[in-house]
Amino acid sequence: MTAITFLPAALLMMTAFTRIVIVGLALFLTLFVMAPVVERIRAEAVEPYMAGSMDTTTALARGVAPLKGFMLEQTRERDIAAFVAIAGGEGYERPEDVPLSVLVPSFVTSELKTAFQIGFLLFIPFVIIDLVVASVLMSMGMMMLSPVLISLPFKIMLFVLVDGWSLVMGSLAASFYR
């Protein structure tokens, strides 16, 4: 019963959710990004299985294939190689031969790295604003005034003026379909 409670987390780890949640957006953008994959799973595995024209084993194999393809497209080869080495494997002839036991942790590692890179790039302009405000306040002799009180409105204004949410969501969604 305890193992069943981890099933939703395991399923979420095989989707775009990891990268998106680190950047700060959540489920709706994951559903948007994963819609083509979910549609392929429905068309190639769920519908034939529900119609009775396919057995369970074949349906599971066909259902995993689009998800595995998505993960392979998003996973760095170095991450796969690292987990193959950790597992003591020799490598695989084709990317499609990589088992889920190696692919899922490799995918999650790649997603975390990408998400933190995106987060870092979002963070840089805000740090620059903090540095400029702190420098101006120090040059004016206002050492006791917290720079955050002054810089926060500038950060919000910058984010709104550059249409930050649209840029972040658009760039994030586009990062899955290069």
Side-chain angles (χ1 to χ4, degrees):
M1 197 55 117
T2 303
I4 293 174
T5 62
F6 291 111
L7 189 59
L11 288 174
L12 282 177
M13 284 190 332
M14 291 186 264
T15 67
F17 185 77
T18 305
R19 184 184 311 178
I20 294 169
V21 78
I22 297 291
V23 175
L25 304 172
L27 202 52
F28 74 94
L29 194 54
T30 302
L31 293 173
F32 174 76
V33 169
M34 295 303 297
V37 177
V38 171
E39 178 57 32
R40 278 191 58 207
I41 292 170
R42 186 188 63 73
E44 295 174 11
V46 174
E47 285 181 357
Y49 176 73
M50 297 301 267
S53 63
M54 184 182 300
D55 66 342
T56 306
T57 308
T58 307
L60 283 173
R62 284 196 184 170
V64 167
L67 194 57
K68 197 172 179 180
F70 173 79
M71 288 190 291
L72 281 168
E73 288 175 17
Q74 303 302 320
T75 306
R76 291 175 178 84
E77 288 181 26
R78 288 174 40 192
D79 292 331
I80 293 174
F83 279 96
V84 167
I86 291 169
E90 296 293 321
Y92 299 96
E93 203 168 299
R94 300 175 313 150
E96 296 80 23
D97 296 338
V98 177
L100 284 176
S101 61
V102 171
L103 182 58
V104 171
S106 303
F107 173 74
V108 171
T109 303
S110 287
E111 289 295 283
L112 287 171
K113 181 178 181 179
T114 303
F116 281 110
Q117 287 173 338
I118 293 169
F120 181 73
L121 291 175
L122 287 171
F123 185 66
I124 289 173
F126 298 125
V127 169
I128 292 171
I129 290 173
D130 281 337
L131 289 172
V132 169
V133 168
S135 296
V136 169
L137 289 176
M138 287 294 283
S139 68
M140 293 172 57
M142 302 174 126
M143 290 170 269
M144 299 304 288
L145 180 61
S146 172
V148 174
L149 291 174
I150 307 298
S151 67
L152 183 62
F154 286 112
K155 291 176 188 177
I156 293 171
M157 183 176 65
L158 172 70
F159 197 73
V160 169
L161 287 176
V162 300
D163 199 16
W165 285 118
S166 294
L167 286 173
V168 169
M169 287 189 291
S171 299
L172 199 54
S175 73
F176 289 99
Y177 301 105
R178 302 178 203 124

